[in-house]
Amino acid sequence: MNNEQRRIIIGNWKMNPPTLEQAQKLFNSIKKGIGETKNLRVAICPPFIYLSKLSDVARPTKIKLGGQNCFWEQSGPFTGEVSPLMLKNLECEYVILGHSERRKHLGETDEMIAKKLKAALETGLKPILCIGETEQERKKGKTFEILKNQLNNDLKNLTPKIHNLKSFIIAYEPVWAIGTANACNPEEAKKILIFLKEGEMASRRISILYGGSVDSNNAKDYIGIGFEGLLAGSASLDAKEFVKIVKSLSNQIN
Ligand code: PGA
């Protein structure tokens, strides 16, 4: 797979929209707007409860589905959890893990994320691991240290010989840029990308995405500096805006 074929844009719907009808409408508008995207992969991560209905709509299209989280066991007494196998059986290709909102609001630790990553990979899902520093950590000049620790701790259960790291994706999502309309400026993001590509991840061929207030105005900048894709939150809830992002990247590649 060459660089262009690796490029991916992922929509993280988070806890939206409130009804299945609205979810189907949003998905259909995105599907219609995108049409055929030859050189770009597109995935949508809706809330779990919409996955089953949306997989019927997604099946004949190139849009892939993903979960926003999963548990580390496949079945058993784990009230409220969803297993990697359940996602796989609902035709999910991806699963977002370690999102900062889960780390913050649900108390997800690197220990838990490491177990989830292993289980997801072993189930054949492609995990999208989110890493990123908070505003405070950034101000203290701790960004690189934080990213390094998150990666070391989150990947500690993986063995390159056993786990297919080619299907693994990392999303650099500075916490201070998420949902703020204050995206990380591309110069700064590039330094992080170089750090991840040449330092921490040098020995592994892992795709690195940018996420945090991505929109149709800044999307091209991140791809231009070498990110292999984008993780969009609020922009993915607006079909027109999301389609605009996809089209702008697809044109950039042509
Ligand atoms: P945002 O969210 O695009 O709304 O900033 C991104 C994310 O949390 O993945």
Side-chain angles (χ1 to χ4, degrees):
M1 200 184 266
N2 65 32
N3 271 354
E4 289 183 4
Q5 287 166 327
R6 291 174 70 90
R7 287 198 179 121
I8 179 163
I9 161 118
I10 300 167
N12 173 13
W13 285 2
K14 307 192 181 184
M15 201 171 69
N16 302 291
T19 68
L20 171 63
E21 202 185 346
Q22 284 170 281
Q24 285 171 315
K25 200 170 159 214
L26 177 58
F27 191 92
N28 280 324
S29 305
I30 291 174
K31 181 181 94 172
K32 205 169 149 209
I34 288 175
E36 283 292 305
T37 48
K38 293 194 188 78
N39 44 14
L40 199 65
R41 291 178 292 156
V42 178
I44 296 289
C45 301
F48 289 140
I49 54 159
Y50 302 144
L51 278 169
S52 137
K53 288 279 185 203
L54 293 184
S55 62
D56 290 338
V57 194
R59 200 170 300 123
T61 76
K62 284 194 164 177
I63 305 177
K64 303 293 180 193
L65 290 175
Q68 295 175 15
N69 173 43
C70 70
F71 195 58
W72 57 79
E73 297 286 348
Q74 299 294 16
S75 64
F78 305 104
T79 304
E81 293 299 326
V82 168
S83 76
L85 191 58
M86 290 171 184
L87 291 183
K88 187 81 187 155
N89 289 340
L90 280 174
E91 300 172 35
C92 280
E93 187 161 329
Y94 299 93
V95 61
I96 297 173
L97 291 175
H99 192 282
S100 61
E101 286 154 10
R102 296 198 58 83
R103 293 181 193 253
K104 182 179 170 198
H105 302 297
L106 282 303
E108 248 182 44
T109 61
D110 288 316
E111 191 73 28
M112 292 155 85
I113 295 161
K115 288 199 268 183
K116 292 179 179 203
L117 268 181
K118 183 170 180 282
L121 273 174
E122 288 175 358
T123 310
L125 291 168
K126 296 177 179 160
I128 303 148
L129 171 67
C130 300
I131 56 169
E133 80 287 2
T134 63
E135 174 86 80
Q136 222 183 9
E137 290 160 346
R138 177 177 175 236
K139 279 191 179 144
K140 287 187 184 157
K142 287 187 162 183
T143 299
F144 293 120
E145 183 189 326
I146 295 294
L147 297 179
K148 195 175 168 169
N149 285 343
Q150 286 178 338
L151 283 176
N152 284 342
N153 295 329
D154 296 347
L155 302 186
K156 72 171 184 195
N157 293 340
L158 307 185
T159 314
K161 274 194 191 139
I162 302 174
H163 301 106
N164 180 10
L165 298 184
K166 278 196 198 115
S167 57
F168 190 77
I169 295 171
I170 286 173
Y172 169 57
E173 294 212 304
V175 180
W176 49 269
I178 294 177
T180 58
N182 175 29
C184 182
N185 97 43
E187 302 269 294
E188 192 174 336
K190 191 168 182 181
K191 287 187 195 146
I192 310 288
L193 181 65
I194 292 170
F195 168 76
L196 295 172
K197 285 265 177 207
E198 294 178 4
E200 290 312 300
M201 291 293 116
S203 56
R204 319 175 198 224
R205 186 67 190 93
I206 291 179
S207 297
I208 301 180
L209 319 186
Y210 170 78
S213 296
V214 165
D215 61 27
S216 58
N217 291 320
N218 62 25
K220 279 192 289 238
D221 299 341
Y222 299 104
I223 301 300
I225 57 173
F227 281 94
E228 280 152 319
L230 301 167
L231 180 53
S234 37
S236 70
L237 292 171
D238 176 342
K240 272 194 189 144
E241 179 67 0
F242 190 70
V243 168
K244 222 167 148 186
I245 295 175
V246 173
K247 295 259 182 211
S248 73
L249 299 190
S250 179
N251 292 340
Q252 188 182 22
I253 294 164
N254 278 329

